[in-house]
């Protein structure tokens, strides 16, 4: 007896991943992206990335994977159009190589908050173009995306089932990709292709308010899980927190329901969950206290040991330049003693290197007047002129003290701050680096001969990501508000494109969530 073997399902894989920050200056070009094309993509099968997880699942399901290309970059400013066109050409090249053979499905690994000069909804444009290709109008399109996406009608219309991460910090990115692949397998096995419905909540929450262990996200995610469980027709309910620093018409908190059941049921679910978000909107409107007040309070209430001030407005891991002067200015104006802060400033480092002929000071201190920071964001007050004493110069190379940190997952065992200098101005020590360095590893300081725990005060440019490194050495951790592109005070940001009215930018008038509902 011969078993009838079904041919393996042919699934086209592609990845395009960038969280675009509209309020930082400078653009993101092709060189910022890592690129894997064709079979090279298969190398990440099994690793901890979403693509790695999806490819491992594909192998488990016995799919015939057609790898197109995978492009990823760290969060940064507006992406150049050529990046998306490069991706689109690469995807077409992979499709042309099929020589007319059809695919059974497409699997995409997306971020969902990518913006280029010309395109406010890159993922929606990608799906529109894909659907317009011969043979792709009805091919199941599944995939995974970051919960900080700004989901759109075009994304809902052009995809069949996109699955969002459920954890922030994103410990489940790979797991979400595997879940999305499992849902595609369900589609391929049953022949049932679900539909996705979407609703915008008319709410913006800053990233600091989107931790999934805390409200308002915690309850929304719990509601999504119970909605999925109580109805077999529902394939997936996504809570999409949005990325409030990408200024687009659809920026903000939204929800999707993917279902093979009736449309009315999906719309009712969207209405219920949007209403819940609206009721909790103030809970997510987290604004830190002004740096002047927080630092002054800390000085009046001293503790034995280190106080860490986190400056989310200049959050390097969120795409900010790391050269903001807001907290430094407060340190200076309050004449803080035993304080340290790191500022990314290649020009200041180069100036100091030139002064000392590239050698560390040997005999007597080198003194200089330098201009520090304040160039990376139009929201900053500008460079601070300072008389400093040069303490040391280095190449900025360090080995990570914590090989399991988020930084390690991005950079490996080593990090390059680029040429760096330590300078001192009265009681304040400033580590000047060439590259912005996310404050996720204490070796940033120890490699420069500085013991971070020996300071009384230390400023870090992060919102949440610094906790793992600094909590063990700090007596207390305080968040401060300063002007900057990653400010949680959303009203301070120059939004021009987001659809109005939206909370918390606009007063009064409850916006009815259903008005923004997209029925497809
Ligand atoms: Zn994210």
């Amino acid at each position: 007896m011969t078993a009838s073997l079904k041919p393996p399902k042919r699934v086209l894989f592609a990845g395009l991943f960038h969280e675009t920050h509209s309020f930082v200056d400078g653009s993101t070009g092709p060189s910022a992206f890592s690129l894997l094309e064709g079979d090279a993509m298969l190398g990440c099968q099994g690793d901890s990335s979403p693509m790695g997880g999806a490819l491992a699942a594909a192998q488990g399901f016995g799919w015939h994977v057609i790898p197109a290309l995978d492009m990823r970059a760290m969060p940064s400013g507006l992406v150049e159009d050529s990046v998306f066109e490069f991706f689109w050409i690469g995807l077409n090249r992979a499709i042309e190589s099929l020589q007319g053979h059809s695919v059974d499905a497409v699997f995409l690994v997306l971020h969902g908050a990518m913006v280029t000069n010309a395109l406010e909804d890159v993922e929606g444009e990608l799906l529109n173009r894909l659907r317009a290709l011969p043979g792709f109008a009805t091919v199941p399109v599944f995939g995974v995306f970051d919960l900080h996406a700004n989901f759109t009608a075009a994304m809902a219309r052009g995809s069949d089932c996109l699955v969002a991460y459920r954890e922030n910090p994103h410990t489940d990115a790979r797991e979400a990709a595997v879940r999305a692949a499992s849902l595609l397998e369900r589609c391929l096995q049953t022949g049932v292709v679900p539909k996705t419905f979407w609703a915008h909540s008319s709410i913006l929450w800053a990233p600091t308010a989107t931790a999934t262990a805390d409200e308002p996200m915690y309850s929304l995610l719990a509601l999504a899980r119970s909605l999925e469980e109580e109805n077999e027709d529902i394939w997936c309910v996504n809570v999409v927190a949005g990325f409030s620093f990408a200024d687009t018409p659809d920026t903000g908190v939204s929800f999707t329901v993917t279902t093979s059941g009736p449309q009315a049921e999906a719309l009712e679910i969207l209405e219920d969950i949007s209403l819940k978000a609206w009721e909790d909107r103030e809970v997510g409107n987290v604004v830190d206290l002004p740096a002047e007040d927080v630092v002054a309070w800390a000085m009046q209430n001293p503790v034995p040991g280190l106080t860490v001030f986190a400056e989310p407005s200049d959050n390097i891991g969120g795409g900010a330049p790391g050269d903001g002067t807001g907290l430094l200015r407060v340190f200076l104006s309050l004449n803080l003693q035993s304080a340290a802060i790191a500022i990314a400033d290649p020009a200041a480092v180069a100036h100091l290197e030139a002064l000392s002929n590239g050698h560390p000071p040997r005999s007597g201190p080198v003194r200089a007047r330098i201009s520090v920071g304040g160039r990376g964001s139009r929201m900053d007050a500008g460079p601070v002129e300072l008389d400093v004493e040069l303490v040391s110069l280095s190449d900025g190379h360090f080995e990570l003290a914590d090989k399991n940190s988020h930084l390690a997952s991005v950079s490996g065992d080593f990090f390059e701050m680029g040429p760096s200098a330590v300078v001192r101005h009265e009681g304040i020590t400033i580590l000047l680096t060439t590259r912005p360095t996310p404050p996720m590893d204490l070796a940033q300081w120890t490699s420069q001969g500085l013991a971070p725990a020996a300071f009384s005060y230390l400023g870090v440019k992060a919102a949440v990501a610094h906790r793992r490194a600094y909590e063990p050495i700090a007596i207390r951790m305080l968040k401060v508000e300063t002007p900057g592109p990653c400010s949680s005070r959303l009203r301070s940001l120059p939004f021009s494109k987001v659809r109005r009215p939206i909370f918390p930018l606009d007063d009064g008038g409850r916006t009815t969530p259903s008005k923004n509902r997209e029925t497809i």
Side-chain angles (χ1 to χ4, degrees), residues 67-270:
L69 75 169
D70 181 30
M71 292 172 65
R72 312 177 197 172
M74 293 291 285
S76 54
L78 208 59
V79 179
E80 292 171 14
D81 291 326
S82 63
V83 172
F84 177 64
E85 298 308 331
F86 180 92
F87 173 84
W88 179 243
I89 289 166
L91 186 60
N92 275 273
R93 195 160 42 235
I95 291 169
E96 279 157 22
S97 74
L98 301 172
Q99 297 181 322
H101 292 289
S102 62
V103 296
D104 295 299
V106 176
F107 192 94
L108 299 172
V109 175
L110 303 171
H111 183 285
M114 181 166 171
V115 186
T116 69
N117 297 99
L119 300 172
E120 288 162 343
D121 175 16
V122 168
E123 292 83 1
E125 174 73 10
L126 163 62
L127 289 159
N128 281 343
R129 290 191 192 183
L130 187 65
R131 288 301 190 195
L133 292 177
F136 280 85
T138 58
V139 166
V141 175
F142 280 57
V144 62
F145 67 101
D146 189 307
L147 70 76
H148 293 113
N150 291 316
F151 213 90
T152 65
M155 288 170 74
R157 203 183 305 120
S159 65
D160 296 295
C161 178
L162 296 177
V163 174
Y165 308 164
R166 296 172 177 177
E167 304 282 343
N168 178 31
H170 304 318
T171 50
D172 71 326
R174 183 183 195 278
E175 191 186 320
V178 172
R179 193 180 320 120
S182 302
L183 292 174
L184 174 55
E185 175 68 0
R186 171 176 166 187
C187 167
L188 293 171
Q189 289 302 324
T190 61
V192 176
V193 183
K195 282 185 80 167
T196 293
F197 300 88
W198 167 78
H200 198 288
S201 70
S202 296
I203 295 168
L204 288 179
W205 283 328
T208 43
T210 62
T212 51
D214 302 332
E215 297 295 356
M217 288 294 285
Y218 182 83
S219 291
L220 290 170
L221 285 154
L223 177 57
R225 295 297 78 76
S226 70
L227 290 164
E228 282 169 352
E229 269 162 35
E230 72 199 21
N231 188 331
E232 274 192 358
D233 292 339
I234 306 295
W235 292 40
C236 174
V237 178
N238 289 318
V239 177
V240 190
F243 184 58
S244 53
F245 301 144
D247 184 18
T248 74
D250 292 307
T251 296
V253 182
S254 70
F255 302 93
T256 72
V257 173
T258 299
T259 180
S260 43
Q263 170 172 324
E265 200 174 68
L267 298 184
E268 199 175 317
I269 288 172
L270 286 174

Side-chain angles (χ1 to χ4, degrees), residues 13 15 36 41-60 65 70 72 107 109 144 173-175 177-178 181:
F13 272 70
L36 293 173
M41 274 171 71
L42 303 177
C44 62
Q45 181 177 318
D47 75 13
S48 56
S49 68
M51 184 63 81
L55 288 170
Q59 189 181 39
V65 170
D70 181 30
R72 312 177 197 172
F107 192 94
V109 175
V144 62
R174 183 183 195 278
E175 191 186 320
V178 172

